[in-house]
């Protein structure tokens, strides 16, 4: 069977994610950016094994405490690769997605190491702009927010609810000065502060917008790796990442309780 350039899936397998057509994914998937953080999930999931890696996409599955099977798939950095991951996972039957990763706080009240959940991402990133969303920006699905809040309570983990700006650029776009561009960077920081958001990162708006357009529930559990207001940087963020992942895994298990325990029906795109 020849592959279609219009829709380059081949015999039920996606063109990017390293998953065969016969692999039944769980209904809930965590979405870290960094492929290495897929393996970090092995410390909070039982029976974890990696299915494969292609480019920035590394995917594995394991079992949350209580036995629910959870998938973990890296998205790479930024919106374009994140869109690919969300679309292909949805077409493979994943029905709920949780972005897990790091962010930079813009307010001094969020110290590095704080576990956060995003309620909304303001509009502004490129890949997300192709998908319909509320003019205020895509919001986390209410059921996902409820699961994250309950998970944090169950684990006695403090949780801060935030709004985010997802920015396609890590350097000048996030107001980091480059030689000869100090004034431009300072002006950009003024713009970001004027958005009234609590933090910056590079994927959440895309996850929420694309998932919402496909009828998939989505949210984000993040940990502050840095604070741009105080200029503090979390050098060893592994303990904070694990705390965040425990909340995300617990939330994923709660969401899985609401889903069929086999691969879902593929989403038409």
């Amino acid at each position: 069977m020849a592959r279609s350039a219009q829709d380059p899936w081949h015999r039920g397998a996606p063109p990017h994610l390293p998953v065969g057509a016969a692999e039944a994914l769980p209904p809930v998937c965590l979405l870290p950016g960094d492929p290495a953080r897929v393996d970090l999930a092995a410390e909070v999931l039982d029976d974890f094994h990696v299915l494969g890696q292609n480019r920035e996409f590394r995917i594995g599955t394991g079992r949350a405490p209580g036995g629910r099977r959870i998938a973990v798939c890296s998205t790479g950095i930024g919106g374009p690769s994140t869109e690919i991951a969300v679309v292909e996972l949805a077409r493979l039957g994943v029905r709920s997605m949780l972005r897990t990763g790091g962010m930079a706080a813009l307010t001094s009240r969020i110290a590095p190491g704080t576990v956060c959940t995003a309620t909304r991402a303001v509009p502004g990133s490129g890949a997300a702009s192709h998908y319909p969303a509320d003019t205020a920006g895509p919001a986390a699905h209410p059921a996902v927010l409820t699961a994250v809040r309950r998970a944090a309570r169950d684990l006695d983990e403090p949780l801060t609810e935030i709004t985010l700006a997802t920015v396609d650029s890590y350097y000048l776009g996030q107001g980091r000065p480059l030689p000869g561009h100090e004034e431009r960077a300072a002006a950009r920081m003024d713009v970001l502060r004027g958005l009234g958001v609590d933090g910056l990162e590079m994927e959440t708006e895309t996850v929420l917008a694309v998932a919402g357009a496909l009828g998939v529930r989505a949210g984000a559990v993040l940990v502050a790796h840095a604070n741009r207001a105080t200029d503090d940087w979390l050098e060893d963020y592994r303990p904070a990442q694990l705390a965040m992942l425990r909340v995300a895994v617990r939330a994923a298990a709660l969401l899985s309780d609401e889903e069929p325990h086999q691969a879902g029906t593929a989403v038409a795109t």
Side-chain angles (χ1 to χ4, degrees), residues 31-260:
L31 301 175
D34 184 354
R37 291 183 194 155
V38 172
D39 298 85
L40 191 62
E43 299 193 31
V44 293
L45 292 170
D46 296 326
D47 302 324
F48 186 80
H49 67 284
V50 173
L51 301 177
Q53 180 163 352
N54 179 45
R55 300 189 183 190
E56 61 267 65
F57 305 112
R58 185 170 177 85
I59 188 166
T61 65
R63 295 193 180 276
R68 293 299 186 218
R69 190 164 167 254
I70 306 296
V72 187
C73 179
S74 59
T75 64
I77 295 175
S81 61
T82 298
E83 180 215 29
I84 288 170
V86 172
V87 169
E88 294 187 6
L89 287 167
R91 289 186 61 173
L92 288 164
V94 174
R95 307 306 304 139
S96 298
M97 301 183 194
L98 264 173
R99 160 146 162 76
T100 59
M103 53 161 274
L106 282 180
T107 171
S108 59
R109 71 181 177 87
I110 301 175
T114 301
V115 177
C116 303
T117 189
T119 59
R120 183 177 295 276
V122 301
S125 63
S129 70
H130 296 282
Y131 291 81
D134 188 282
T135 55
H141 192 282
V144 177
L145 271 179
T146 296
V148 172
R149 290 165 179 157
R150 179 178 163 186
R153 288 196 303 271
D154 289 350
L155 297 171
D156 199 25
E157 179 67 46
L159 182 71
T160 299
E161 298 190 12
I162 61 171
T163 56
L164 286 172
T166 296
V167 184
D168 291 329
S169 163
Y170 182 81
Y171 286 99
L172 279 179
Q174 293 189 28
R176 290 186 166 92
L178 297 178
H181 297 279
E182 291 82 2
E183 289 186 7
R184 182 185 293 269
R188 176 61 179 163
M189 275 305 300
D190 288 341
V191 169
L192 293 170
R193 292 188 185 102
L195 295 175
V197 297
D198 302 300
L200 307 172
E201 51 79 80
M202 301 185 73
E203 293 83 28
T204 296
E205 185 192 2
T206 303
V207 171
L208 299 181
V210 178
L214 298 179
V216 172
R217 305 186 301 182
V221 186
L222 305 167
V223 63
H225 286 172
N227 187 296
R228 299 295 297 279
T230 62
D231 204 28
D232 289 325
W233 181 269
L234 187 65
E235 198 66 45
D236 179 11
Y237 54 74
R238 188 174 183 280
Q241 277 279 326
L242 286 170
M244 176 270 295
L245 276 174
R246 290 185 187 99
V247 172
V249 164
R250 174 62 180 149
L254 293 169
L255 291 166
S256 182
D257 286 341
E258 304 169 11
E259 300 282 4

